Amino acid sequence: MMTKKSNELFQRAQKILPGGVNSPVRAFKSVGRDPLFIQRANGSKMWDVDGNMFIDYIGSWGPMLLGHAHPDVIESVKQAAEGGLSFGAPAEAEVLIGELICDMVQSIDVVRMVNSGTEATMSAIRLARAFTKRDKIIKFEGCYHGHGDSFLIKAGSGALTLGTPDSPGVTKGTAQDTLIAQFNRIDSVRTLFDNNKESVAAVIIEPVAGNMGCVPPSETFLRDVRELCTEYNALLIFDEVMTGFRLARGGAQELYGVTPDLTALGKIIGGGMPVGAYGGKGEIMEMISPSGPVYQAGTLSGNPIAMASGYAMLTYINGHTDVYDKLEKKGAAIEDGIRSIISKHSYPVSVNRAGSMFTLFFTGKSVTDFATASSSDKEKFAEYYGSMLEQGIYMPPSQFEAAFISTAHTDDDIEKTVSAVEVALGKVFG
Ligand code: HOZ
C-alpha cells in the first residue's frame, strides 16, 4: 500500500500536534504503524490522501450508524449552514431534537445538549453529586467515560491502549472519590457500596462496554446494578455514548430493559458533528442551571449545524424501524463468519458482539471483564491489524476498542471482511 502523502502529513503533524494527532488512539501507536490521513468517506468506505480505499469499521467511533455522508444528514447540514453557523441564542432545532430524544429514550424526560460525551459524563456526575449530596462515584475498570479527571482512573480506550489508565495530572483528592468495580462482577459493586455507606452519589457504567473492546453485560448484571443503586440511594448513570440509538431506538436501556436515572449521550446524536447530551428524570434535571443551581454552560451547546445534523439522523432512524434488524443481521453475518474460521483452525481468539458492535480478542478466554480483556496478546493483535489494513479493512487500531457496523455495509463488504480475517489470522498463527 502506498502511503507517501500520509507519511509526509504525519511528519508535519508531529511538529505541531502532540504525537501528530488530536486524539491518541488514531495515532496507530499500539499497532506499530503510522496513521493514515483520511481525505473523504462515503457509505461504508473511506479513502486516504494516497487514494487507498478501505471498508471502514470505525465509523467515526460510532456515530456513522447510517454510513458516511448519508444524503439526509448532508442535506440538512447544508441547509442549516446557509442560515448561519452559530447564534449563542435559542433556536428551533434545539427543541426539535430535544423532543425527539425525550420521545426515543424512555428514561429521559429532560435533556441538556453539550458538545461531547466527555462534557456529558462530567456534567452528569456533577449533577448526581448535587442531587444526592454525596461525593463518591463508582466506575468500572476498563470503562471509559471521556477525559474528565474523575474518570481517568483505571480507564479504558486510548488511556488503556497507551498504558496510562491512571493519568498523571489527576489530583489525589479527585482520584479518591472514584471507586473502582469490576464489569460483570456484581459482588465487586456490592462490596464498594457496603464499605462506603451513604457516600456513593452514582454508579456510572457503559451498559455494553466498548472501551476495553466490546464486552456485553451478563444477563442479570445491569439489573443487579440497578437494584443496588436503588437500595443504597445512589443514582445509576448509563454512559450510552456508544450504545445510544445504536443498539436499539431507545439505546441499551431499551434492549436490556433497565432504567437508569441519568443517561449520557455522545457523538451519535450529532450524526457526525460534535455533540453530546445528558438527560433523565425531571426532578433531577431541574437542578441544572438556570432551572436550578448546578452550573453548566456552553456557547456552542445546541449549535444549529450540529442540531440539524443530529435531527436528520435521528429522524431517519425513527422513521425506519428496520434499521436495527438490518444492523443485527449484518453483525450476525460477521460474527458467524469469524467464528467459523476460529473454530475451523482452533485459533485462540474470542469474539464478542452486541448488535452492530464487535471485537476480536486475541485470547482463548471468554472476555467478560477487564482481566479477561487484558489477557489478550497485543502483539498478535497488531500483526492482525496490519494485515487487515493491507487488505483494505480499516478496524479500530487498538485491542481495546469496539468495531462498528453501519447500515451502509453491504453483503459484499461483509464477505470481503470475513475473508480478510481468515487471511490475517492465518498470518498471525501460521
Ligand atoms: N477514545 C475514542 C474512542 N473510544 C477515540 C476517539 C478518536 O480518536 O477519535
Side-chain angles (χ1 to χ4, degrees), residues 22-27 60-61 144 157-158 210-211 242 267 400-401:
N22 282 308
S23 189
V25 185
R26 61 178 84 159
S60 189
W61 302 95
Y144 178 76
S157 188
N211 284 292
M242 285 184 182
K267 39 206 161 197
F400 304 114
E401 298 281 1

Side-chain angles (χ1 to χ4, degrees), residues 249 316-326:
R249 180 180 175 273
Y316 184 94
I317 294 170
N318 209 28
H320 294 78
T321 41
D322 59 339
V323 158
Y324 298 100
D325 285 347
K326 282 189 184 158

Side-chain angles (χ1 to χ4, degrees), residues 238-284:
F238 270 10
D239 176 344
E240 295 230 41
V241 167
M242 285 184 182
T243 54
F245 306 107
R246 172 165 283 281
L247 295 189
R249 180 180 175 273
Q253 51 198 270
E254 178 186 307
L255 187 68
Y256 294 100
V258 174
T259 307
D261 300 295
L262 291 172
T263 300
L265 295 164
K267 39 206 161 197
I268 199 157
I269 44 171
M273 296 294 288
V275 185
Y278 61 104
K281 292 180 184 145
E283 59 165 327
I284 307 172

Side-chain angles (χ1 to χ4, degrees), residues 53 60 106 403:
M53 186 185 86
S60 189
Q106 181 254 323

Side-chain angles (χ1 to χ4, degrees), residues 115-385:
N115 296 295
S116 68
T118 291
E119 265 190 70
T121 53
M122 273 167 41
S123 310
I125 59 158
R126 183 184 305 136
L127 174 59
R129 285 171 165 152
F131 185 78
T132 59
K133 301 192 178 62
R134 297 171 173 184
D135 289 344
K136 295 195 188 300
I137 59 161
I138 294 177
K139 80 172 272 291
F140 293 84
E141 183 163 21
C143 279
Y144 178 76
H145 306 288
H147 60 85
D149 283 4
S150 300
F151 305 123
L152 290 180
I153 296 142
K154 306 274 185 235
S157 188
L160 173 60
T161 304
L162 299 169
T164 51
D166 303 298
S167 175
V170 174
T171 65
K172 284 200 186 81
T174 299
Q176 76 189 12
D177 282 335
T178 300
L179 309 171
I180 302 298
Q182 299 303 320
F183 198 83
N184 273 332
R185 284 160 51 189
I186 197 64
D187 286 353
S188 71
V189 187
R190 181 177 285 286
T191 303
L192 290 176
F193 269 121
D194 282 345
N195 294 341
N196 295 275
K197 288 206 170 76
E198 318 262 308
S199 56
V200 176
V203 173
I204 185 164
I205 187 167
E206 299 174 72
V208 172
N211 284 292
M212 50 176 146
C214 175
V215 183
S218 70
E219 213 182 303
T220 54
F221 181 59
L222 295 175
R223 203 183 61 222
D224 291 346
V225 173
R226 171 69 275 177
E227 277 171 14
L228 281 178
C229 287
T230 306
E231 183 183 333
Y232 286 86
N233 293 315
L235 300 189
L236 175 61
I237 305 173
F238 270 10
D239 176 344
E240 295 230 41
V241 167
M242 285 184 182
T243 54
F245 306 107
R246 172 165 283 281
L247 295 189
R249 180 180 175 273
Q253 51 198 270
E254 178 186 307
L255 187 68
Y256 294 100
V258 174
T259 307
D261 300 295
L262 291 172
T263 300
L265 295 164
K267 39 206 161 197
I268 199 157
I269 44 171
M273 296 294 288
V275 185
Y278 61 104
K281 292 180 184 145
E283 59 165 327
I284 307 172
M285 289 300 291
E286 74 190 14
M287 288 192 76
I288 296 290
S289 187
S291 286
V294 178
Y295 201 72
Q296 185 271 306
T299 295
L300 292 170
S301 299
N303 171 270
I305 314 303
M307 298 299 96
S309 170
Y311 184 64
M313 161 112 174
L314 295 188
T315 302
Y316 184 94
I317 294 170
N318 209 28
H320 294 78
T321 41
D322 59 339
V323 158
Y324 298 100
D325 285 347
K326 282 189 184 158
L327 290 171
E328 174 57 31
K329 282 197 185 109
K330 291 172 198 291
I334 289 199
E335 180 184 354
D336 294 349
I338 296 174
R339 278 196 193 285
S340 70
I341 295 164
I342 292 171
S343 70
K344 185 163 88 186
H345 300 278
S346 303
Y347 290 140
V349 174
S350 67
V351 187
N352 276 2
R353 180 177 74 88
S356 53
M357 298 166 64
F358 70 98
T359 300
L360 263 75
F361 289 97
F362 282 77
T363 173
K365 293 182 181 163
S366 127
V367 173
T368 55
D369 57 11
F370 174 77
T372 42
S374 55
S375 72
S376 303
D377 185 326
K378 290 174 259 323
E379 279 173 22
K380 288 205 168 24
F381 174 83
E383 214 183 314
Y384 151 83
Y385 188 82

